[in-house]
Amino acid sequence: MSDATPPRPPAARRSRRHDPGRRDRLIDAALTVIAERGVAATTHREIARVADVPLGSMTYHFTSLEEVLAEAFTRHAESVARVFDERLSAAPDREAAIEAVIALVADDLLGSRHDLVLSVELYVAAARNPTLRAVTQAWMTRSRHALERHFDATTARELDALIEGLVLHSALSTDPMTPEQIRHAVHRFLR
Amino acid sequence: MSDATPPRPPAARRSRRHDPGRRDRLIDAALTVIAERGVAATTHREIARVADVPLGSMTYHFTSLEEVLAEAFTRHAESVARVFDERLSAAPDREAAIEAVIALVADDLLGSRHDLVLSVELYVAAARNPTLRAVTQAWMTRSRHALERHFDATTARELDALIEGLVLHSALSTDPMTPEQIRHAVHRFLR
DNA sequence: GCATCATATGTACGAGTGTACACATCGTGC
DNA sequence: GCACGATGTGTACACTCGTACATATGATGC
């Protein structure tokens, strides 16, 4: 035993040798960084710090930073779309579907804003990155199809846009809309 | 005449000594860069290049890059808000106001997407910068008030959100909505 | 003409970045 | 046990960035 006082990294990190889920955790860490600090501040080093992993681990698991961002945003979009899908599938009728939509919007607003910030960051990134544009496109198509379980195609598209606007405007405002106000707007549109 | 072949900067730049509008042109150049390359790629050097001005000019006219961004976004928001205001003020009645709104949305979509990209970039930036959040807030308040010339407060707020959603969703989609579809959605909401 | 000073410019520096890559470590098949 | 290849790590390098600052330039008042 010659390592009485190893001056290397802290023990907590040392013990992580060979963990199979590391790549996944790195993607999650990337999402955390994007949500908290923005895409611009999302660097190899920052992600590694959040995931408590050495810098070299980033270049081992990903060939470039762009790949990390793409995978992270893909995971985010799929996760949001899945919830949207599930809740609308579970709705037995049109009335229940409307309530589900309102609940989803309210969740987004009252929640940690984590998801909302991620979405807007994705929009901006998608404006200049074809890969991310495809991710956004797939996401939008999926939520529209989810709405089409209960509404005709035109209504689905318009309602989707209304939801987007309500969430975004509300989130950027100093006095966000209440669930009641959301309900009012949605019902007014669908009346 | 000893300057037969001056190896210095190109003549075009040399001749710009002392132009009073330079600060303004720098802000415009910043907006161009933000729209074309994104906030992340908006650096002192890139702005200076676009404005055809030496790097040192940036630090002379602005104390920091953040100041440049703040002034640029302020100019953008005010410019958009002014147009919105003017067109709605010119509308003699509710019907004309609705048409004005539809025309504004269609312009945004059919236009160069320049303004739209700037707006989304502003949203993201505002999420983390209090100064920019104030700019966004002032802009939203102003457009709501413009709408309140023709609609009650609740309707104005909801319509504002609907517009936002229509423009954003449409811009991100591979098949943007046509002016007819925009008209349909707006009329449906206000019917 | 000339002194003065706001305006304008070129260059340098330290900090932080993405990525490459040589080296260390360990599970696995024999 | 042990060789070997997959996995993990530390460090170095070339580059870009924001900003500071010494210097140059020219408009203006006298």
Side-chain angles (χ1 to χ4, degrees):
Chain A
M1 287 61 162
S2 57
D3 55 354
T5 51
R8 306 302 183 68
R13 180 179 305 170
R14 251 277 168 279
S15 68
R16 287 262 181 67
R17 207 67 223 210
H18 245 89
D19 60 329
R22 172 171 295 195
R23 199 172 190 279
D24 269 357
R25 283 192 304 113
L26 288 178
I27 295 176
D28 283 339
L31 282 174
T32 300
V33 176
I34 296 170
E36 288 181 358
R37 314 275 309 270
V39 169
T42 304
T43 66
H44 277 135
R45 286 168 177 81
E46 184 62 20
I47 297 171
R49 209 170 299 141
V50 168
D52 189 29
V53 140
L55 172 61
S57 196
M58 292 300 298
T59 56
Y60 176 73
H61 286 287
F62 306 94
T63 65
S64 74
L65 189 59
E66 210 180 315
E67 184 185 323
V68 185
L69 292 177
E71 296 219 24
F73 277 126
T74 302
R75 174 171 299 185
H76 164 71
E78 279 186 357
S79 146
V80 174
R82 187 168 4 93
V83 172
F84 201 82
D85 235 354
E86 285 170 1
R87 295 235 215 154
L88 280 175
S89 300
D93 55 18
R94 187 182 150 109
E95 271 315 304
I98 295 176
E99 282 310 309
V101 165
I102 293 168
L104 282 163
V105 172
D107 278 6
D108 252 11
L109 290 180
L110 300 178
S112 59
R113 292 179 53 140
H114 178 94
D115 283 356
L116 175 67
V117 172
L118 281 176
S119 301
V120 183
E121 292 277 357
L122 172 56
Y123 294 160
V124 169
R128 291 183 185 81
N129 183 325
T131 305
L132 295 181
R133 202 160 334 142
V135 170
T136 313
Q137 190 63 35
W139 174 16
M140 278 174 47
T141 303
R142 190 163 162 191
S143 32
R144 258 203 263 172
H145 283 147
L147 287 171
E148 285 173 8
R149 289 167 170 275
H150 302 282
F151 309 96
D152 67 278
T154 302
T155 303
R157 179 162 204 187
E158 294 172 350
L159 181 55
D160 204 21
L162 174 63
I163 294 169
E164 187 75 42
L166 288 173
V167 172
L168 190 63
H169 250 206
S170 205
L172 289 170
S173 174
T174 49
D175 71 314
M177 291 170 95
T178 65
E180 309 313 317
Q181 290 173 309
I182 301 286
R183 185 188 315 275
H184 180 270
V186 172
H187 272 122
R188 172 174 189 165
F189 184 75
L190 292 175
R191 102 190 92 121
Chain B
M1 292 75 156
S2 56
D3 56 352
T5 51
R8 305 301 185 64
R13 181 179 303 173
R14 251 280 168 275
S15 69
R16 287 262 181 68
R17 209 62 226 216
H18 245 89
D19 60 330
R22 173 171 293 191
R23 198 171 190 279
D24 269 356
R25 282 192 304 113
L26 288 178
I27 295 176
D28 283 337
L31 282 174
T32 301
V33 175
I34 296 170
E36 288 180 359
R37 314 275 307 273
V39 169
T42 303
T43 66
H44 278 135
R45 286 167 176 82
E46 184 62 21
I47 297 170
R49 208 171 298 139
V50 168
D52 188 29
V53 139
L55 171 62
S57 197
M58 291 301 298
T59 55
Y60 175 73
H61 286 288
F62 305 94
T63 64
S64 74
L65 189 58
E66 210 180 316
E67 183 184 326
V68 185
L69 292 177
E71 296 218 23
F73 277 127
T74 302
R75 175 172 299 186
H76 163 71
E78 279 186 358
S79 146
V80 173
R82 187 169 1 95
V83 172
F84 201 82
D85 234 353
E86 285 170 2
R87 296 235 214 155
L88 279 175
S89 299
D93 55 17
R94 188 183 151 110
E95 272 313 305
I98 296 175
E99 282 310 308
V101 164
I102 293 167
L104 282 162
V105 172
D107 278 6
D108 251 13
L109 291 180
L110 299 177
S112 59
R113 294 178 50 140
H114 178 93
D115 282 356
L116 176 67
V117 173
L118 282 176
S119 300
V120 183
E121 291 277 358
L122 171 56
Y123 293 161
V124 170
R128 291 183 185 81
N129 184 325
T131 305
L132 296 181
R133 203 162 331 144
V135 171
T136 313
Q137 190 62 35
W139 175 14
M140 279 175 47
T141 301
R142 190 164 160 190
S143 32
R144 257 203 262 170
H145 281 148
L147 286 171
E148 286 174 6
R149 289 167 168 275
H150 303 281
F151 308 97
D152 67 277
T154 302
T155 303
R157 179 162 204 186
E158 293 173 350
L159 180 56
D160 203 21
L162 174 63
I163 293 169
E164 187 75 42
L166 289 172
V167 171
L168 190 64
H169 251 205
S170 203
L172 288 170
S173 175
T174 51
D175 73 313
M177 291 170 95
T178 64
E180 308 314 316
Q181 290 173 309
I182 300 287
R183 185 188 316 274
H184 180 271
V186 171
H187 272 122
R188 172 174 190 164
F189 184 75
L190 292 174
R191 99 189 93 119

